[in-house]
Structures are given as structure tokens and as C-alpha cells.
Amino acid sequence: MSDQDETPHYHGHRDRLRARFLEAGGDALPDYELLELVLFRSIPRRDVKPIAKDLLKRFGTFAEVLAAPPARLLEVDGIGESIVTDLKVIEAAARRLAKGEVSKRPVLSSWTSVLDYCRTAMAFMDKEQFRLLFLDKRNALIADEVQQSGTVDHTPVYPREVVKRALELSASALILVHNHPSGDPTPSPADIKMTREIIDVAKPLGIAVHDHIIVGREGHASLKGLRLI
């Protein structure tokens, strides 16, 4: 048998896939092929297509695979600690890129970047998280902080603590952001009540609440856009 006959069948596939990526870019590849490219580095001597498809079957999309908790990723056959690390590095890089787009210019003039960043940072989390974007008088981002993390369906939020932190940072405005792990970004009555309470505390102190954005796998909702605030 020749050396050529002994070459695993997936080697040619890897070369072709890398070439397509370089020629057409990541947007031209389906999620499973983009995952294959990631897995190539961690698993040099195995056909990774079945692993990529198993990951997508369990978690849904490329983004949801990146955001999945490490313990759940390790439950997938063929996934080890080094692969989880690679996936988490890519997730962190994606968040850093999205945050860079928000930080470069006044937030209200780059609303699409704000939404992209919020979705990248939070949409696929398995627990609810409440995030605050603090803005200066030019609506540029001063700070981006996670104030609370909660359970799968509840995060305790204290309006006076939110406003206290805004005063500490000399912020002129806020954007509230939280995620719905259920995937449905529709605001709940509790979301609306909490937002109005923060507005009531912030307004007399000269701090504006520009919006409250809720993100989930199925999209996002803006309380301002829905005319709920």
C-alpha cells in the first residue's frame, strides 16, 4: 500500500476547507464547517465533522456553541479541555471585537453596534444577567459593567444601587441590558416595573435612561422602541 493510500480521507477535506475559508471568508461557510476549522487545531488526527455536527445538534448555532458552559461542552463525545479552551478564547475575542465597535464612537450614533455587542455578550447565556452601559454627556461609553447575575429566570436589581454606581462614575446616562435565557426577549411586567423604578430614581439626579434592551437567542427587544418607557 502506498503512502498516498494511507493518508486519512479527511486530510484533503481539511485543505479544501481552509482554502475555501481563505478565498471566500467565514460568512460563506455554514456553522458546522466554521466549527470544523476551529476543531482542526485541537484535533489534528481525527475527522472532526461528526463532532462539529454533534455540537450544533446539542447547542443550536455556532454562537451558542461558543457561549455554552464548559461543563456542558465536555459532555459531548470527543470534546476535551483543550477544545473548550479554544472555544472560550474565540468567544472572548468575539466579545472584545464587538465591544471595540461600541467604544470607538458615541453609543447613540452606533446603535447597531450596541445591539450586536449586547447579543454577543449575553444572548446565549444559560443564566440571567443584568448589565449596565454608563455614558458620558457626549453619549460615549464610560464603562460596561455586570451588576448582577441570577438564575435561569430572575436577576435581583436594586434601582438605588444602579444610580449610585452611575454617580460614582459621573455618568450622564445609562443603557440597561439583560438577557432572557428562555430565548424570548419579550419584556415581562417585572422588567417594565424595574426599568420605570430606575428612571424615577435617576431622573431627579440628572441621569437619563436611554433604553432597556433585552436580548435572547430569538432576537432583542427595546423597551423604548416598544414605547414601554
Side-chain angles (χ1 to χ4, degrees):
M1 184 180 288
S2 69
D3 290 342
Q4 186 174 4
D5 291 333
E6 293 175 356
T7 301
H9 70 89
Y10 53 80
H11 278 203
H13 169 67
R14 290 186 175 207
D15 292 340
R16 288 190 296 273
L17 189 51
R18 289 190 183 104
R20 280 178 50 217
F21 175 76
L22 291 173
E23 290 169 10
D27 289 344
L29 302 181
D31 280 3
Y32 81 88
E33 289 186 334
L34 203 56
L35 263 179
E36 283 189 76
L37 285 167
V38 175
L39 296 173
F40 286 167
R41 299 181 63 82
S42 301
I43 309 176
R45 289 178 290 278
R46 181 174 170 183
D47 182 3
V48 298
K49 185 184 290 185
I51 300 174
K53 291 195 171 183
D54 284 348
L55 285 166
L56 290 169
K57 184 177 179 181
R58 176 170 294 210
F59 299 109
T61 65
F62 182 81
E64 287 172 292
V65 171
L66 294 184
R72 289 198 61 206
L73 288 167
L74 289 169
E75 292 172 0
V76 177
D77 185 43
I79 298 297
E81 294 284 355
S82 63
I83 298 172
V84 171
T85 300
D86 286 350
L87 292 172
K88 289 302 168 185
V89 168
I90 294 169
E91 182 194 18
R95 292 187 185 188
R96 190 71 58 88
L97 282 168
K99 187 173 184 178
E101 289 299 313
V102 173
S103 301
K104 280 196 277 187
R105 57 182 73 89
V107 165
L108 296 187
S109 68
S110 55
W111 198 243
T112 300
S113 295
V114 174
L115 295 174
D116 287 346
Y117 169 61
C118 293
R119 281 184 52 76
T120 300
M122 301 174 70
F124 303 108
M125 289 182 169
D126 61 344
K127 292 184 180 178
E128 196 167 289
Q129 187 181 82
F130 186 73
R131 192 179 213 98
L132 294 165
L133 306 183
F134 298 93
L135 313 178
D136 65 17
K137 61 186 177 182
R138 295 175 294 110
N139 286 316
L141 187 67
I142 297 173
D144 161 23
E145 297 182 353
V146 175
Q147 203 216 25
Q148 297 284 346
S149 293
T151 63
V152 294
D153 61 1
H154 178 66
T155 302
V157 177
Y158 306 101
R160 292 190 183 281
E161 290 297 316
V162 171
V163 176
K164 177 184 175 184
R165 184 61 179 149
L167 291 170
E168 289 172 352
L169 293 169
S170 299
S172 298
L174 294 169
I175 297 173
L176 318 177
V177 190
H178 85 279
N179 62 309
H180 280 180
S182 66
D184 181 0
T186 303
S188 69
D191 294 335
I192 300 166
K193 180 175 181 289
M194 176 264 290
T195 308
R196 290 174 177 170
E197 287 174 354
I198 293 175
I199 291 171
D200 289 343
V201 176
K203 189 173 181 180
L205 298 172
I207 299 170
V209 176
H210 287 320
D211 205 346
H212 183 170
I213 301 167
I214 302 171
V215 295
R217 288 186 300 276
E218 297 171 15
H220 74 274
S222 157
L223 268 67
K224 185 173 184 180
L226 294 170
R227 302 185 181 224
L228 295 171
I229 57 172

